[in-house]
Amino acid sequence: MKDNSKKENVKQFSPESLMMSFGYKPELSEGAIKCPIFQTSTFVFKNAEEGKAFFELAYGLRKKNEGEEMGLIYSRLNNPDLEILENRLCLWDRAEEAASFVSGMAAISTAFLTFLKPGDALIYSKPVYGGTDYFVNNILPSYGIKTYGFLAGVSNEEIINTVGKDARVKMIFIETPANPTNSLIDLGEASNIARHYSNDDSKCLLAVDNTYLGPVWQHPLAHGADLILYSATKFISGHSDVIAGACLGSHKLIEQVKVMRTFMGSMASPFVVWLLMRSLETLKIRMERQVKNAKVVAEFLQSHPRVQKVYYLGFLREKEDAKAFKIFKNQCLSAGSMISFDIKGGEKEAFLFLNSLELFHLAVSLGSTESLAEHPASMTHSDILPEDQMQMGISPQMVRLSIGVENADDLVWDLSQALEK
Ligand SMILES: *Cc1c(COP(=O)(O)O)cnc(C)c1O
């Protein structure tokens, strides 16, 4: 079972120091140093009175007594592995509570359905992850939810004017840095839009997909966000062997998300969560190494004659990119390890390059220990109309790289030989 009682005392340690042990009591599991996989669907009550008391809390029939914890009932509602993982995820973002999901899309869609009702409206940044884009443009409207998309750089005034007075905006959803262009959106400005649409009766929430830089390099709750969403498939898992997701925020909001999760059945499974706990132990060192490697790779690409333009946060300049530079300094703790670049030529040259790679794998997804390369226009973002792609800066020349933990010289060697082709 989880242990929150010592939370205040252990706060002094950094998250990376707590990832091996936080929230787990060996004495409750035969002294095992590692949290076992609680591969069980249901939990035995000590007696009928206990079962009754647990259900009263689970169904909100009464308030918790002083110090009372939600008891274990059934693994769709709660499970020790899920609770411990969720406590550990909270440490990076300094969130009060987290909910783990079977995928990033399950986290995103469950959060949407928790807070958006027929007649409500959603404002979102463009581009967003392809699955999110599909859900926002095809599924939410079929439930009577209006959606309005905006490119990075559009002012709050323009957004508010375009959306109009009649829309009942209940959520602002943004992805920053955006995939695959690394364009940035100011979290503080986005929280101002959310505030504009909030009143005493109802709050408009700012939700941020923090998959690209989080949870180590960007902490949206500290910049006015209400909810953070993750595809834990990416950096959090980091080994390309798990699909999972998470949603973080205040107790009040995440309790509502967990109610929807219970009835959608979109929670993660104990084994997946156990793998994520194992991954979290090395999250920071993986991400640090990936950042180091990415810097070497970006500098190599920048100086290569066959490369037209490199999209990398580390290249933002105070004078030339004043606005983006300011956002970067204010809300990002590192340039991360995602790089896109335009190769000279078009799709043909991009494909020749991709087909020539020997160490990089040609695959979508990101954030893993191995380096990956893909072609956004024809792969991850192929669902977006060509004219919209161009507007977002996704051209047929663009290649996206996710940099792993390999030897940086080997990565440069591979890119160099593929560019020579
Ligand atoms: C991959 C991804 C998702 C979707 O997550 P899944 O785990 O694949 O469901 C959402 N947002 C971003 C930014 C992603 O990269």
Side-chain angles (χ1 to χ4, degrees):
M1 273 257 279
K2 69 174 174 176
D3 173 25
N4 275 335
S5 60
K6 295 207 196 86
K7 216 171 180 173
E8 296 309 315
N9 301 338
V10 289
K11 266 266 164 67
Q12 55 197 318
F13 293 123
S14 305
E16 62 268 34
S17 305
L18 294 172
M19 283 304 123
M20 283 63 83
S21 59
F22 187 70
Y24 170 67
K25 277 185 176 166
E27 62 269 30
L28 294 179
S29 296
E30 307 280 6
I33 189 162
K34 287 294 150 187
C35 178
I37 307 172
F38 287 88
Q39 188 68 36
T40 186
S41 56
T42 194
F43 297 86
V44 179
F45 304 134
K46 286 198 189 90
N47 49 47
E49 287 75 12
E50 187 184 73
K52 179 180 174 184
F54 287 180
F55 267 92
E56 282 170 349
L57 283 190
Y59 283 3
L61 302 177
R62 65 171 171 86
K63 289 230 148 44
K64 275 182 198 170
N65 295 324
E66 186 84 0
E68 188 177 6
E69 289 267 355
M70 171 89 163
L72 293 163
I73 298 176
Y74 183 69
S75 285
R76 180 155 46 74
L77 279 67
N78 53 4
N79 173 290
D81 292 300
L82 271 70
E83 291 186 351
I84 294 167
L85 172 86
E86 288 163 358
N87 287 342
R88 290 183 190 175
L89 281 177
C90 286
L91 297 175
W92 297 102
D93 283 299
R94 294 179 175 271
E96 284 177 12
E97 194 163 336
S100 51
F101 287 88
V102 65
S103 68
M105 279 314 301
I108 293 167
S109 55
T110 304
F112 281 155
L113 296 177
T114 305
F115 298 109
L116 297 169
K117 302 282 171 276
D120 290 345
L122 167 84
I123 295 176
Y124 70 99
S125 65
K126 290 200 292 193
V128 284
Y129 176 73
T132 310
D133 191 87
Y134 187 90
F135 202 87
V136 163
N137 286 300
N138 296 290
I139 308 216
L140 289 180
S142 73
Y143 288 90
I145 295 156
K146 286 207 182 100
T147 63
Y148 302 89
F150 289 92
L151 290 167
V154 176
S155 74
N156 282 3
E157 213 176 1
E158 281 174 84
I159 294 173
I160 289 165
N161 280 338
T162 311
V163 171
K165 283 202 180 64
D166 297 332
R168 220 164 67 201
V169 180
K170 286 295 167 61
M171 187 185 280
I172 317 293
F173 180 93
I174 64 172
E175 205 178 295
T176 180
N179 173 11
T181 53
N182 271 330
S183 56
L184 293 174
I185 292 171
D186 191 320
L187 293 169
E189 288 288 313
S191 78
N192 287 338
I193 309 181
R195 209 166 307 141
H196 173 86
Y197 288 107
S198 296
N199 55 44
D200 293 344
D201 302 328
S202 90
K203 194 166 159 15
C204 171
L205 301 177
L206 173 61
V208 178
D209 184 329
N210 200 33
T211 301
Y212 240 53
L213 276 185
V216 173
W217 308 128
Q218 183 170 267
H219 302 125
L221 296 181
H223 298 274
D226 301 292
L227 291 172
I228 300 179
L229 294 143
Y230 284 111
S231 169
T233 311
K234 313 295 165 56
F235 289 97
I236 292 173
S237 153
H239 293 73
S240 298
D241 52 9
V242 163
I243 300 275
C247 179
L248 283 67
S250 65
H251 289 305
K252 188 169 165 239
L253 295 177
I254 301 302
E255 266 164 28
Q256 295 175 64
V257 171
K258 283 184 173 170
V259 169
M260 184 60 84
R261 183 183 71 170
T262 291
F263 296 105
M264 306 268 294
S266 48
M267 71 293 154
S269 73
F271 179 51
V272 157
V273 161
W274 183 86
L275 285 169
L276 292 181
M277 285 198 264
R278 190 178 166 132
S279 289
L280 278 182
E281 297 188 7
T282 56
L283 177 71
K284 189 159 183 195
I285 58 168
R286 281 188 280 113
M287 290 186 80
E288 281 171 344
R289 172 61 175 252
Q290 287 171 291
V291 164
K292 255 193 197 164
N293 280 355
K295 184 163 184 283
V296 175
V297 165
E299 278 163 4
F300 165 76
L301 290 170
Q302 182 85 326
S303 65
H304 199 284
R306 300 239 163 102
V307 172
Q308 192 167 317
K309 183 172 178 191
V310 182
Y311 304 81
Y312 170 63
L313 292 177
F315 290 158
L316 291 174
R317 291 288 163 261
E318 191 160 12
K319 282 216 183 85
E320 293 86 339
D321 324 282
K323 198 170 168 205
F325 183 82
K326 198 169 147 237
I327 300 174
F328 175 69
K329 284 287 162 205
N330 193 33
Q331 69 192 38
C332 310
L333 299 171
S334 123
S337 52
M338 296 299 298
I339 304 169
S340 292
F341 68 95
D342 292 335
I343 201 164
K344 283 188 183 152
E347 184 183 278
K348 187 167 149 266
E349 287 74 14
F351 278 18
L352 180 60
F353 166 81
L354 289 168
N355 292 338
S356 306
L357 290 166
E358 292 181 27
L359 182 60
F360 277 79
H361 291 275
L362 173 50
V364 301
S365 197
L366 59 99
S368 185
T369 45
E370 70 275 292
S371 294
L372 302 174
E374 66 112 7
H375 187 246
S378 68
M379 296 171 193
T380 44
H381 296 70
S382 57
D383 198 37
I384 301 171
L385 295 172
E387 58 266 34
D388 289 344
Q389 282 188 350
M390 289 312 277
Q391 207 190 20
M392 296 174 193
I394 305 169
S395 71
Q397 295 163 268
M398 182 182 265
V399 169
R400 187 189 78 181
L401 303 176
S402 169
I403 305 301
V405 300
E406 300 92 337
N407 181 304
D409 293 340
D410 292 342
L411 295 174
V412 166
W413 176 89
D414 195 26
L415 295 170
S416 172
Q417 64 82 21
L419 282 167
E420 291 314 318
K421 304 260 163 71

PDB file of all heavy atoms in Angstrom, residues 102-106 108 129 132 175 179 209 211-212 230-234 243-245 365-366 400, ligand 1:
ATOM      1  N   VAL A 102      -3.880   3.495 -19.700  1.00  0.00           N
ATOM      2  CA  VAL A 102      -3.415   2.428 -20.584  1.00  0.00           C
ATOM      3  C   VAL A 102      -2.689   2.991 -21.816  1.00  0.00           C
ATOM      4  O   VAL A 102      -1.945   2.273 -22.475  1.00  0.00           O
ATOM      5  CB  VAL A 102      -4.607   1.511 -20.946  1.00  0.00           C
ATOM      6  CG1 VAL A 102      -5.645   2.253 -21.771  1.00  0.00           C
ATOM      7  CG2 VAL A 102      -4.171   0.248 -21.629  1.00  0.00           C
ATOM      8  N   SER A 103      -2.874   4.286 -22.121  1.00  0.00           N
ATOM      9  CA  SER A 103      -2.130   4.931 -23.210  1.00  0.00           C
ATOM     10  C   SER A 103      -2.198   6.439 -23.016  1.00  0.00           C
ATOM     11  O   SER A 103      -3.021   6.929 -22.227  1.00  0.00           O
ATOM     12  CB  SER A 103      -2.731   4.566 -24.578  1.00  0.00           C
ATOM     13  OG  SER A 103      -4.014   5.149 -24.712  1.00  0.00           O
ATOM     14  N   GLY A 104      -1.359   7.156 -23.757  1.00  0.00           N
ATOM     15  CA  GLY A 104      -1.436   8.620 -23.740  1.00  0.00           C
ATOM     16  C   GLY A 104      -2.792   9.086 -24.252  1.00  0.00           C
ATOM     17  O   GLY A 104      -3.399  10.005 -23.701  1.00  0.00           O
ATOM     18  N   MET A 105      -3.289   8.439 -25.303  1.00  0.00           N
ATOM     19  CA  MET A 105      -4.594   8.816 -25.854  1.00  0.00           C
ATOM     20  C   MET A 105      -5.713   8.548 -24.853  1.00  0.00           C
ATOM     21  O   MET A 105      -6.695   9.299 -24.812  1.00  0.00           O
ATOM     22  CB  MET A 105      -4.866   8.078 -27.173  1.00  0.00           C
ATOM     23  CG  MET A 105      -4.199   8.699 -28.396  1.00  0.00           C
ATOM     24  SD  MET A 105      -4.341  10.505 -28.545  1.00  0.00           S
ATOM     25  CE  MET A 105      -6.115  10.752 -28.580  1.00  0.00           C
ATOM     26  N   ALA A 106      -5.582   7.491 -24.050  1.00  0.00           N
ATOM     27  CA  ALA A 106      -6.607   7.221 -23.026  1.00  0.00           C
ATOM     28  C   ALA A 106      -6.605   8.346 -21.995  1.00  0.00           C
ATOM     29  O   ALA A 106      -7.670   8.795 -21.550  1.00  0.00           O
ATOM     30  CB  ALA A 106      -6.350   5.877 -22.351  1.00  0.00           C
ATOM     31  N   ILE A 108      -5.643  11.497 -22.512  1.00  0.00           N
ATOM     32  CA  ILE A 108      -6.150  12.713 -23.148  1.00  0.00           C
ATOM     33  C   ILE A 108      -7.666  12.626 -23.355  1.00  0.00           C
ATOM     34  O   ILE A 108      -8.413  13.541 -22.994  1.00  0.00           O
ATOM     35  CB  ILE A 108      -5.405  12.960 -24.483  1.00  0.00           C
ATOM     36  CG1 ILE A 108      -3.930  13.304 -24.199  1.00  0.00           C
ATOM     37  CG2 ILE A 108      -6.076  14.063 -25.302  1.00  0.00           C
ATOM     38  CD1 ILE A 108      -3.020  13.275 -25.417  1.00  0.00           C
ATOM     39  N   TYR A 129      -0.468  16.463 -31.454  1.00  0.00           N
ATOM     40  CA  TYR A 129      -0.256  15.061 -31.806  1.00  0.00           C
ATOM     41  C   TYR A 129      -1.422  14.562 -32.675  1.00  0.00           C
ATOM     42  O   TYR A 129      -2.573  14.911 -32.436  1.00  0.00           O
ATOM     43  CB  TYR A 129      -0.154  14.257 -30.508  1.00  0.00           C
ATOM     44  CG  TYR A 129      -0.020  12.772 -30.732  1.00  0.00           C
ATOM     45  CD1 TYR A 129       1.174  12.247 -31.215  1.00  0.00           C
ATOM     46  CD2 TYR A 129      -1.073  11.919 -30.497  1.00  0.00           C
ATOM     47  CE1 TYR A 129       1.291  10.897 -31.446  1.00  0.00           C
ATOM     48  CE2 TYR A 129      -0.963  10.559 -30.718  1.00  0.00           C
ATOM     49  CZ  TYR A 129       0.229  10.061 -31.203  1.00  0.00           C
ATOM     50  OH  TYR A 129       0.348   8.717 -31.430  1.00  0.00           O
ATOM     51  N   THR A 132      -4.559  13.214 -31.007  1.00  0.00           N
ATOM     52  CA  THR A 132      -5.287  14.290 -30.336  1.00  0.00           C
ATOM     53  C   THR A 132      -6.047  15.107 -31.369  1.00  0.00           C
ATOM     54  O   THR A 132      -7.222  15.441 -31.178  1.00  0.00           O
ATOM     55  CB  THR A 132      -4.299  15.216 -29.587  1.00  0.00           C
ATOM     56  OG1 THR A 132      -3.436  14.410 -28.789  1.00  0.00           O
ATOM     57  CG2 THR A 132      -5.030  16.207 -28.723  1.00  0.00           C
ATOM     58  N   GLU A 175      -0.005  22.002 -26.687  1.00  0.00           N
ATOM     59  CA  GLU A 175       1.142  21.114 -26.752  1.00  0.00           C
ATOM     60  C   GLU A 175       2.338  22.000 -27.045  1.00  0.00           C
ATOM     61  O   GLU A 175       2.378  22.666 -28.072  1.00  0.00           O
ATOM     62  CB  GLU A 175       0.909  20.128 -27.906  1.00  0.00           C
ATOM     63  CG  GLU A 175       1.657  18.837 -27.751  1.00  0.00           C
ATOM     64  CD  GLU A 175       1.347  17.879 -28.895  1.00  0.00           C
ATOM     65  OE1 GLU A 175       0.191  17.442 -29.019  1.00  0.00           O
ATOM     66  OE2 GLU A 175       2.264  17.609 -29.671  1.00  0.00           O
ATOM     67  N   ASN A 179       5.054  19.197 -31.761  1.00  0.00           N
ATOM     68  CA  ASN A 179       5.576  18.098 -32.561  1.00  0.00           C
ATOM     69  C   ASN A 179       5.116  18.324 -34.004  1.00  0.00           C
ATOM     70  O   ASN A 179       3.915  18.445 -34.204  1.00  0.00           O
ATOM     71  CB  ASN A 179       4.966  16.819 -31.956  1.00  0.00           C
ATOM     72  CG  ASN A 179       5.255  15.585 -32.740  1.00  0.00           C
ATOM     73  OD1 ASN A 179       6.070  15.567 -33.640  1.00  0.00           O
ATOM     74  ND2 ASN A 179       4.555  14.522 -32.387  1.00  0.00           N
ATOM     75  N   ASP A 209      -0.186  19.110 -22.856  1.00  0.00           N
ATOM     76  CA  ASP A 209       0.471  17.844 -23.195  1.00  0.00           C
ATOM     77  C   ASP A 209       1.972  18.088 -23.054  1.00  0.00           C
ATOM     78  O   ASP A 209       2.577  18.824 -23.844  1.00  0.00           O
ATOM     79  CB  ASP A 209       0.105  17.431 -24.625  1.00  0.00           C
ATOM     80  CG  ASP A 209       0.692  16.070 -25.009  1.00  0.00           C
ATOM     81  OD1 ASP A 209       1.775  15.729 -24.502  1.00  0.00           O
ATOM     82  OD2 ASP A 209       0.082  15.376 -25.840  1.00  0.00           O
ATOM     83  N   THR A 211       4.466  15.854 -23.090  1.00  0.00           N
ATOM     84  CA  THR A 211       5.226  14.667 -23.500  1.00  0.00           C
ATOM     85  C   THR A 211       6.616  15.007 -24.022  1.00  0.00           C
ATOM     86  O   THR A 211       7.568  14.273 -23.790  1.00  0.00           O
ATOM     87  CB  THR A 211       4.439  13.913 -24.592  1.00  0.00           C
ATOM     88  OG1 THR A 211       3.170  13.551 -24.053  1.00  0.00           O
ATOM     89  CG2 THR A 211       5.163  12.677 -25.066  1.00  0.00           C
ATOM     90  N   TYR A 212       6.750  16.126 -24.747  1.00  0.00           N
ATOM     91  CA  TYR A 212       7.993  16.425 -25.457  1.00  0.00           C
ATOM     92  C   TYR A 212       9.173  16.764 -24.542  1.00  0.00           C
ATOM     93  O   TYR A 212      10.291  16.371 -24.820  1.00  0.00           O
ATOM     94  CB  TYR A 212       7.744  17.590 -26.423  1.00  0.00           C
ATOM     95  CG  TYR A 212       7.987  17.271 -27.884  1.00  0.00           C
ATOM     96  CD1 TYR A 212       7.374  16.172 -28.493  1.00  0.00           C
ATOM     97  CD2 TYR A 212       8.818  18.062 -28.662  1.00  0.00           C
ATOM     98  CE1 TYR A 212       7.582  15.888 -29.828  1.00  0.00           C
ATOM     99  CE2 TYR A 212       9.031  17.786 -29.997  1.00  0.00           C
ATOM    100  CZ  TYR A 212       8.426  16.705 -30.578  1.00  0.00           C
ATOM    101  OH  TYR A 212       8.636  16.427 -31.904  1.00  0.00           O
ATOM    102  N   TYR A 230       0.401  13.161 -20.300  1.00  0.00           N
ATOM    103  CA  TYR A 230       1.592  12.515 -20.840  1.00  0.00           C
ATOM    104  C   TYR A 230       1.236  11.307 -21.671  1.00  0.00           C
ATOM    105  O   TYR A 230       0.376  10.517 -21.273  1.00  0.00           O
ATOM    106  CB  TYR A 230       2.494  11.990 -19.706  1.00  0.00           C
ATOM    107  CG  TYR A 230       3.273  13.054 -18.997  1.00  0.00           C
ATOM    108  CD1 TYR A 230       2.979  13.388 -17.684  1.00  0.00           C
ATOM    109  CD2 TYR A 230       4.302  13.718 -19.648  1.00  0.00           C
ATOM    110  CE1 TYR A 230       3.692  14.376 -17.032  1.00  0.00           C
ATOM    111  CE2 TYR A 230       5.016  14.710 -18.999  1.00  0.00           C
ATOM    112  CZ  TYR A 230       4.717  15.038 -17.699  1.00  0.00           C
ATOM    113  OH  TYR A 230       5.424  16.012 -17.058  1.00  0.00           O
ATOM    114  N   SER A 231       1.956  11.152 -22.761  1.00  0.00           N
ATOM    115  CA  SER A 231       2.117   9.826 -23.312  1.00  0.00           C
ATOM    116  C   SER A 231       3.322   9.251 -22.573  1.00  0.00           C
ATOM    117  O   SER A 231       4.474   9.616 -22.854  1.00  0.00           O
ATOM    118  CB  SER A 231       2.395   9.879 -24.817  1.00  0.00           C
ATOM    119  OG  SER A 231       2.785   8.581 -25.221  1.00  0.00           O
ATOM    120  N   ALA A 232       3.071   8.360 -21.605  1.00  0.00           N
ATOM    121  CA  ALA A 232       4.166   7.738 -20.849  1.00  0.00           C
ATOM    122  C   ALA A 232       4.890   6.708 -21.701  1.00  0.00           C
ATOM    123  O   ALA A 232       5.927   6.172 -21.314  1.00  0.00           O
ATOM    124  CB  ALA A 232       3.630   7.099 -19.568  1.00  0.00           C
ATOM    125  N   THR A 233       4.345   6.454 -22.891  1.00  0.00           N
ATOM    126  CA  THR A 233       4.991   5.602 -23.893  1.00  0.00           C
ATOM    127  C   THR A 233       6.357   6.162 -24.278  1.00  0.00           C
ATOM    128  O   THR A 233       7.248   5.408 -24.674  1.00  0.00           O
ATOM    129  CB  THR A 233       4.116   5.574 -25.162  1.00  0.00           C
ATOM    130  OG1 THR A 233       2.775   5.298 -24.790  1.00  0.00           O
ATOM    131  CG2 THR A 233       4.607   4.575 -26.171  1.00  0.00           C
ATOM    132  N   LYS A 234       6.531   7.481 -24.171  1.00  0.00           N
ATOM    133  CA  LYS A 234       7.707   8.160 -24.712  1.00  0.00           C
ATOM    134  C   LYS A 234       8.813   8.208 -23.656  1.00  0.00           C
ATOM    135  O   LYS A 234       9.295   7.176 -23.258  1.00  0.00           O
ATOM    136  CB  LYS A 234       7.290   9.539 -25.234  1.00  0.00           C
ATOM    137  CG  LYS A 234       6.013   9.503 -26.114  1.00  0.00           C
ATOM    138  CD  LYS A 234       6.196   8.731 -27.406  1.00  0.00           C
ATOM    139  CE  LYS A 234       4.881   8.383 -28.097  1.00  0.00           C
ATOM    140  NZ  LYS A 234       4.012   9.489 -28.407  1.00  0.00           N
ATOM    141  N   ILE A 243       3.037   0.890 -23.889  1.00  0.00           N
ATOM    142  CA  ILE A 243       2.120   1.990 -24.206  1.00  0.00           C
ATOM    143  C   ILE A 243       1.431   2.374 -22.899  1.00  0.00           C
ATOM    144  O   ILE A 243       0.884   1.499 -22.212  1.00  0.00           O
ATOM    145  CB  ILE A 243       1.044   1.552 -25.238  1.00  0.00           C
ATOM    146  CG1 ILE A 243       1.671   1.083 -26.551  1.00  0.00           C
ATOM    147  CG2 ILE A 243       0.016   2.653 -25.468  1.00  0.00           C
ATOM    148  CD1 ILE A 243       2.002   2.153 -27.554  1.00  0.00           C
ATOM    149  N   ALA A 244       1.498   3.649 -22.531  1.00  0.00           N
ATOM    150  CA  ALA A 244       0.880   4.097 -21.278  1.00  0.00           C
ATOM    151  C   ALA A 244       0.718   5.610 -21.284  1.00  0.00           C
ATOM    152  O   ALA A 244       1.295   6.303 -22.132  1.00  0.00           O
ATOM    153  CB  ALA A 244       1.734   3.678 -20.083  1.00  0.00           C
ATOM    154  N   GLY A 245      -0.068   6.118 -20.338  1.00  0.00           N
ATOM    155  CA  GLY A 245      -0.284   7.565 -20.255  1.00  0.00           C
ATOM    156  C   GLY A 245      -0.537   8.003 -18.829  1.00  0.00           C
ATOM    157  O   GLY A 245      -0.677   7.171 -17.924  1.00  0.00           O
ATOM    158  N   SER A 365       7.185   7.335 -32.956  1.00  0.00           N
ATOM    159  CA  SER A 365       7.390   7.355 -31.510  1.00  0.00           C
ATOM    160  C   SER A 365       8.662   8.149 -31.212  1.00  0.00           C
ATOM    161  O   SER A 365       9.363   8.593 -32.142  1.00  0.00           O
ATOM    162  CB  SER A 365       7.473   5.967 -30.885  1.00  0.00           C
ATOM    163  OG  SER A 365       7.283   6.098 -29.472  1.00  0.00           O
ATOM    164  N   LEU A 366       8.938   8.348 -29.934  1.00  0.00           N
ATOM    165  CA  LEU A 366      10.049   9.224 -29.555  1.00  0.00           C
ATOM    166  C   LEU A 366      10.404   8.989 -28.093  1.00  0.00           C
ATOM    167  O   LEU A 366       9.677   8.320 -27.361  1.00  0.00           O
ATOM    168  CB  LEU A 366       9.654  10.691 -29.788  1.00  0.00           C
ATOM    169  CG  LEU A 366       8.413  11.230 -29.041  1.00  0.00           C
ATOM    170  CD1 LEU A 366       8.781  12.016 -27.812  1.00  0.00           C
ATOM    171  CD2 LEU A 366       7.590  12.113 -29.961  1.00  0.00           C
ATOM    172  N   ARG A 400      12.149  14.116 -38.894  1.00  0.00           N
ATOM    173  CA  ARG A 400      12.165  14.291 -37.438  1.00  0.00           C
ATOM    174  C   ARG A 400      13.053  13.233 -36.799  1.00  0.00           C
ATOM    175  O   ARG A 400      12.967  12.052 -37.142  1.00  0.00           O
ATOM    176  CB  ARG A 400      10.746  14.169 -36.873  1.00  0.00           C
ATOM    177  CG  ARG A 400      10.669  14.524 -35.380  1.00  0.00           C
ATOM    178  CD  ARG A 400       9.312  14.200 -34.781  1.00  0.00           C
ATOM    179  NE  ARG A 400       9.171  12.778 -34.499  1.00  0.00           N
ATOM    180  CZ  ARG A 400       8.081  12.208 -33.997  1.00  0.00           C
ATOM    181  NH1 ARG A 400       7.022  12.955 -33.738  1.00  0.00           N
ATOM    182  NH2 ARG A 400       8.022  10.906 -33.777  1.00  0.00           N
TER     183      ARG A 400
HETATM  184  C1  LIG B   1       2.596   9.650 -28.609  1.00  0.00           C
HETATM  185  C2  LIG B   1       1.941  10.900 -28.170  1.00  0.00           C
HETATM  186  C3  LIG B   1       0.613  10.903 -27.693  1.00  0.00           C
HETATM  187  C4  LIG B   1      -0.236   9.657 -27.659  1.00  0.00           C
HETATM  188  O1  LIG B   1       0.228   8.738 -26.742  1.00  0.00           O
HETATM  189  P1  LIG B   1       0.010   7.130 -26.864  1.00  0.00           P
HETATM  190  O2  LIG B   1       0.737   6.628 -25.675  1.00  0.00           O
HETATM  191  O3  LIG B   1       0.581   6.701 -28.169  1.00  0.00           O
HETATM  192  O4  LIG B   1      -1.459   6.892 -26.797  1.00  0.00           O
HETATM  193  C5  LIG B   1       0.093  12.111 -27.261  1.00  0.00           C
HETATM  194  N1  LIG B   1       0.812  13.261 -27.298  1.00  0.00           N
HETATM  195  C6  LIG B   1       2.074  13.291 -27.757  1.00  0.00           C
HETATM  196  C7  LIG B   1       2.818  14.577 -27.787  1.00  0.00           C
HETATM  197  C8  LIG B   1       2.687  12.117 -28.214  1.00  0.00           C
HETATM  198  O5  LIG B   1       3.934  12.171 -28.682  1.00  0.00           O
END
